[in-house]
Amino acid sequence: MASPVAFAVQAGKLLREQALRPRLLAVRSQAGHLTSRRWLNLQEYQSKKLMSEHGVRVQRFFVASTANEALEAAKRLNAKEIVLKAQILAGGRGKGVFNSGLKGGVHLTKDPNVVGQLAKQMIGYNLTTKQTPKEGVKVNKVMVAEALNISRETYLAILMDRSHNGPVIVGSPQGGVDIEEVAASSPELIFKEPIDIFEGIKDNQAQRMAENLGFLGPLKNQAADQIKKLYHLFLKIDATQVEVNPFGETPEGQVVCFDAKINFDDNAEFRQKDIFAMDDKSENEPIENEAARYDLKYIGLDGNIACFVNGAGLAMATCDIIFLNGGKPANFLDLGGGVKEAQVYQAFKLLTSDPKVEAILVNIFGGIVNCAIIANGITKACRELELKVPLVVRLEGTNVQEAQNILKNSGLPITSAVDLEDAAKKAVASVAKK
Ligand code: GDP
Ligand code: MN
């Protein structure tokens, strides 16, 4: 058992992360931003590998990073027909467009040479779909899989649902398409099966879902079996969501997962090391990755005031109060608990590397954090980085007096604020003056 202090720090960290995640995402979308991902995400090919290891039926496939590899993979598959799929984390690839001019992130062909030609127009180009930012997402890999005929496309997902306090299986016989559209236009075609996490999935529950999805005869048992296997996978890998769209059937009578999207519970990282090691960070904003290297949490927004805070609550309050005073936050950098001076320096470096930033607001409440360490970090960063933008600092809590002295005696143009409101007003004013 760790010391009580270490335990408290750890518990605080968990609470903060849980609280920060949905709330800051809400802020981000409020601010007109697309949700960018700071959490573990796997590409389709990685999710399908996990699925096949757990007895879930997926097509045979290879992954390729160059057009030539794609061509070779297509030959090696030796399939009647091949499906080539761009690997990005967003959905809607089928109807997406590349900036190479190619239409469609999913292509079917019988000719391996065509796979090579298509892959050439995919790899290295951006694919824009309904779920990506306008400029799209760069494709680094493609999946080359054995195509199967599809006679029917259904939708299946398993997710942790707050209102059910546990897992729920959601399905619709109307799959393949945008499920939000189905939910809006024909809600009666969305079926839900809450699962008691202690009792696990029951045969009759899997059967009922298979039936609701429209699987008939022997296909019903097969679909139920696949649903159970997907549920076991969901639990075993600490997923928060497993989505299969389409969950399809072939004319030959097989139930197959044609697509896969898995989300994970990041608090389970400690026991899912192998999975987390597969994390594809290539689609993260570089600055978010850089922040993560120093154990800092960075969230980009679209205003011009950088916010340097500790804790989710304070981040939200800081955001609100900047808005209330007519300003807009450019980003958040959450320092967290056991801060070191070097982290403060790195944090400043990151914040000022964003060209949108016209002022920095530091709002730290020193509970676990020692304000003097922050103050030393700030003065050091100001000197070494030759800070060009106005800096407003509000510190409160442990060792605050010493911290104020450090700032005052530094001779640097740092504006002190007495409280949060004062800090926000001063930061907004410093930007307005420019
Ligand atoms: P998404 O557009 O990003 O959701 O990508 P999907 O993997 O779901 O592929 C889009 C669509 O392509 C699916 O809904 C299917 O209709 C079709 N598709 C994907 N794989 C195959 C396949 O092996 N055979 C056939 N016939 N169609 C496929
Ligand atoms: Mn899909």
Side-chain angles (χ1 to χ4, degrees), residues 92-93 176 245-246 259:
R93 293 166 300 169
N245 188 25
D259 192 7

Side-chain angles (χ1 to χ4, degrees), residues 219-239:
L219 278 169
K220 187 170 123 183
N221 283 334
Q222 208 191 120
D225 180 58
Q226 288 290 303
I227 291 168
K228 280 196 286 187
K229 286 181 168 142
L230 283 164
Y231 180 78
H232 295 139
L233 169 71
F234 171 84
L235 273 195
K236 175 124 177 272
I237 62 176
D238 283 305

Side-chain angles (χ1 to χ4, degrees), residues 44 48 59 81 83 85 106 108 146-155 173 175-177 215 219 244-259:
E44 176 192 10
K48 282 189 169 167
Q59 294 140 283
E81 195 173 13
V83 58
K85 306 174 83 171
V106 176
L108 290 160
E146 171 179 39
L148 301 172
N149 290 322
I150 308 182
S151 38
R152 228 166 48 82
E153 302 194 349
T154 78
Y155 175 92
V177 290
F215 290 103
L219 278 169
V244 182
N245 188 25
F247 182 63
E249 85 182 46
T250 69
E252 295 78 25
Q254 289 201 312
V255 177
V256 180
C257 296
F258 284 93
D259 192 7

Side-chain angles (χ1 to χ4, degrees), residues 47-259:
S47 299
K48 282 189 169 167
K49 181 164 172 281
L50 288 173
M51 286 158 80
S52 92
E53 285 165 3
H54 288 77
V56 175
R57 187 172 295 124
V58 298
Q59 294 140 283
R60 290 191 295 129
F61 71 85
F62 293 112
V63 183
S65 310
T66 65
N68 208 39
E69 276 176 32
L71 169 67
E72 290 305 317
K75 287 183 186 159
R76 245 192 309 159
L77 268 177
N78 193 22
K80 257 194 266 158
E81 195 173 13
I82 298 146
V83 58
L84 175 66
K85 306 174 83 171
Q87 298 293 289
I88 59 168
L89 296 171
R93 293 166 300 169
K95 294 190 176 126
V97 181
F98 292 88
N99 62 353
S100 63
L102 181 68
K103 288 207 172 72
V106 176
H107 282 264
L108 290 160
T109 172
K110 295 198 162 69
D111 182 354
N113 292 312
V114 174
V115 170
Q117 289 155 16
L118 289 168
K120 202 177 263 174
Q121 300 169 69
M122 290 184 172
I123 298 169
Y125 292 100
N126 280 21
L127 174 57
T128 301
T129 80
K130 256 166 80 170
Q131 294 182 12
T132 66
K134 264 206 291 301
E135 69 277 14
V137 172
K138 189 168 164 215
V139 176
N140 295 312
K141 287 189 165 71
V142 293
M143 176 191 243
V144 185
E146 171 179 39
L148 301 172
N149 290 322
I150 308 182
S151 38
R152 228 166 48 82
E153 302 194 349
T154 78
Y155 175 92
L156 186 81
I158 306 173
L159 43 122
M160 277 298 175
D161 184 59
R162 191 168 289 278
S163 62
H164 288 92
N165 288 319
V168 178
I169 303 182
V170 180
S172 173
Q174 207 96 293
V177 290
D178 204 345
I179 198 65
E180 282 81 13
E181 249 171 66
V182 179
S185 62
S186 6
E188 73 285 358
L189 290 180
I190 305 278
F191 298 91
K192 289 187 183 169
E193 194 70 47
I195 308 295
D196 182 320
I197 198 160
F198 296 108
E199 302 201 352
I201 183 167
K202 301 267 170 58
D203 283 342
N204 70 327
Q205 295 182 298
Q207 289 280 340
R208 185 158 53 222
M209 183 50 79
E211 200 169 304
N212 283 333
L213 295 183
F215 290 103
L216 300 170
L219 278 169
K220 187 170 123 183
N221 283 334
Q222 208 191 120
D225 180 58
Q226 288 290 303
I227 291 168
K228 280 196 286 187
K229 286 181 168 142
L230 283 164
Y231 180 78
H232 295 139
L233 169 71
F234 171 84
L235 273 195
K236 175 124 177 272
I237 62 176
D238 283 305
T240 53
Q241 177 171 319
V242 172
E243 187 185 49
V244 182
N245 188 25
F247 182 63
E249 85 182 46
T250 69
E252 295 78 25
Q254 289 201 312
V255 177
V256 180
C257 296
F258 284 93
D259 192 7

